[in-house]
Amino acid sequence: MPEGPELHLASLYVNKMCNGVVFTGPVRKSEVSKSPDVPFTCEAYRITATSRGKEVKLTLTPMKSDDTKRKAKKGQADQPMDVVFRFGMSGYFRFTTEDELPKHAHLRFYSTEKPCRVLSFVDARRFGSWQHSGTWQPSRGPCIMFEYKSFRENVVSHLSDRAFDRPICEVLLNQKYFNGIGNYLRAEILFRLNIPPFVAARTVLEGLESEDFCENEKPVKNEIADTKTSDGTEHKRVKEETGDLLRLCHTVPLEVVSLGGKGYDPEKADYSDFQAWLQCYYVDGMKSVRDHNGRTMWFKGDPGPMAPKDSKSPKAKKRTKKEDDHDYTDKKKVAKSRSASSAKKKAVKQEAVTKTPKREKDARPKEAKSKRGKTDKPLKVNTARHEKRSTARRRGSSNAGPTAAGGLRRSRRVTRPNGK
DNA sequence: CGTCCACGTCTAC
DNA sequence: TAGACCTGGACGG
């Protein structure tokens, strides 16, 4: 989930769910988490949230009480504390009753409610992190959504930075300049402007002004015009996006925010709106290649001059040694055995804490290129009916597969929503 | 069962 | 510029 829009939706979720709720006691961390303990405990405090780019900050505010004046009990906080979170690949917040704690709830805030409810930072992969008494990470630039003006100025005034020597698609992931842009957003943004992903960033950006002169232009609705070409293939022509690249880095993420909860609230695990919103990322018919950092770049048309020279011979990687395979990752599937009886301590299977070494990569280059004429597949499969994503599922280039941002599991939509 | 893939950083050679 | 860090879902055999 986590790109700028999801982090912001997470902050809205926290503010909505925790409005009026009183929290109490210490902040609790899971056994397996490597992030720092949060040294905060208070009889009664409130929680509010804000977001900036790809970070969310929770503010824990002690409530006034008689105790406060009487010099609260030792250890009790009387000053607010900020905890800054980064979501990694799988982080999110959930507010549930105590007995419905989600799996992987690594940091928890307990309310004073009767059936106690808990605000949890949930993160299955644990790539996320938090820092107490924190501030926004200094190395990250202004938020693309809510600090638009300074975001623009920061980019435009630093175009001489060597960072802009790289392909635009890779620079868009540089959080020092594009705090909030992630893998699906870079694809959607470049796609809207038809910018080849592997063109030098400076080339694409030079000439843009610090000021956004489009700001007041009415957002011309993107018209979609279906046209038939000689070969009978149906094409959809996207009519002019308003604004330059930097403006789209601001408006496109905001479109996701406006989609609402669907994008975030895992509760209603309904990502259909989000899926329908995607025009390029993981969309059937689009191309994809690994960028120089091993991340999949989705695009249409020309990849651009700086495209990876197919260099990475993924296959050359060969098997990784076999020797070490003894991961003692005791997989005790949570046998939902409802041993309601006493001892609840050990019952809670902990995530493996073994330090077992060597496991394979996450983003490792894979098969590449497989040029294929556009021949078959006139991408107009609305006939469907039972249509199980039966479509070819070649990786490395040219098209989709399952699972993606926001959980784009299952079949991919093949036709644009507004395409007729 | 095993392999591949995933919305992102981090640090170490 | 590679790995490291993780879990789990989709798929293939």
Side-chain angles (χ1 to χ4, degrees), chain A residues 334-341 344 347:
Chain A
V334 184
K336 26 196 59 243
S337 56
R338 202 48 297 121
S339 56
S341 53
K344 64 172 347 142

Side-chain angles (χ1 to χ4, degrees), chain A residues 2-72:
Chain A
E3 289 187 26
E6 289 74 26
L7 279 276
H8 182 63
L9 287 166
S11 73
L12 296 182
Y13 173 83
V14 169
N15 288 331
K16 183 181 75 171
M17 304 304 284
C18 301
N19 179 45
V21 176
V22 178
F23 292 83
T24 188
V27 176
R28 305 217 274 151
K29 192 182 74 169
S30 73
E31 302 279 304
V32 292
S33 175
K34 289 175 186 158
S35 282
D37 280 306
V38 175
F40 179 96
T41 185
C42 184
E43 290 286 317
Y45 68 97
R46 304 231 185 241
I47 296 178
T48 55
T50 57
S51 75
R52 175 178 188 262
K54 251 181 258 182
E55 295 185 302
V56 165
K57 176 165 69 186
L58 292 193
T59 298
L60 315 181
T61 308
M63 294 170 76
K64 300 241 187 274
S65 71
D66 307 336
D67 252 4
T68 306
K69 352 179 68 79
R70 269 185 277 171
K71 222 28 320 152

Side-chain angles (χ1 to χ4, degrees), chain A residues 176-206:
Chain A
K176 179 177 179 184
Y177 295 110
F178 298 89
N179 189 8
I181 298 296
N183 209 25
Y184 79 72
L185 284 172
R186 69 168 177 174
E188 295 300 313
I189 292 166
L190 292 176
F191 172 84
R192 302 259 189 120
L193 295 174
N194 255 289
I195 295 173
F198 296 93
V199 165
R202 189 174 298 103
T203 303
V204 178
L205 297 167
E206 62 192 356

Side-chain angles (χ1 to χ4, degrees), chain A residues 77-148:
Chain A
D78 62 342
Q79 287 303 111
M81 175 186 278
D82 286 338
V83 185
V84 176
F85 295 79
R86 255 153 268 138
F87 286 13
M89 297 283 265
S90 55
Y92 62 93
F93 281 109
R94 268 318 259 301
F95 191 52
T96 69
T97 55
E98 194 168 17
D99 46 84
E100 292 180 305
L101 281 189
K103 192 178 180 185
H104 307 299
H106 298 303
L107 195 67
R108 309 181 295 272
F109 305 83
Y110 292 75
S111 79
T112 58
E113 302 168 308
K114 41 275 198 103
C116 179
R117 281 196 294 172
V118 184
L119 176 66
S120 304
F121 173 62
V122 187
D123 182 13
R125 298 183 69 179
R126 277 182 270 149
F127 287 176
S129 62
W130 62 80
Q131 178 198 321
H132 69 258
S133 313
T135 54
W136 301 125
Q137 209 171 230
S139 56
R140 310 184 74 102
C143 179
I144 49 162
M145 296 175 289
F146 306 111
E147 297 177 285
Y148 181 49

Side-chain angles (χ1 to χ4, degrees), chain A residues 194-292:
Chain A
N194 255 289
I195 295 173
F198 296 93
V199 165
R202 189 174 298 103
T203 303
V204 178
L205 297 167
E206 62 192 356
L208 299 191
E209 309 287 340
S210 292
E211 284 257 355
D212 178 355
F213 299 110
C214 288
E215 204 128 35
N216 295 314
E217 244 169 76
K218 60 177 184 183
V220 176
K221 192 170 194 288
N222 301 319
E223 294 168 31
I224 303 292
D226 295 304
T227 57
K228 294 280 188 176
T229 51
S230 54
D231 66 346
T233 303
E234 189 175 309
H235 290 283
K236 277 99 168 60
R237 207 170 267 293
V238 181
K239 189 79 181 315
E240 302 298 315
E241 274 289 344
T242 48
D244 57 31
L245 177 57
L246 296 180
R247 181 169 179 72
L248 263 68
C249 283
H250 169 65
T251 61
V252 173
L254 286 179
E255 287 180 22
V256 178
V257 169
S258 70
L259 287 180
K262 303 352 185 313
Y264 181 67
D265 197 345
E267 199 73 31
K268 310 266 173 288
D270 176 21
Y271 295 93
S272 56
D273 284 358
F274 177 68
Q275 277 187 69
W277 174 84
L278 292 171
Q279 295 180 33
C280 178
Y281 185 79
Y282 251 106
V283 169
D284 208 22
M286 295 296 150
K287 299 177 185 170
S288 69
V289 304
R290 298 285 181 158
D291 67 15
H292 296 289

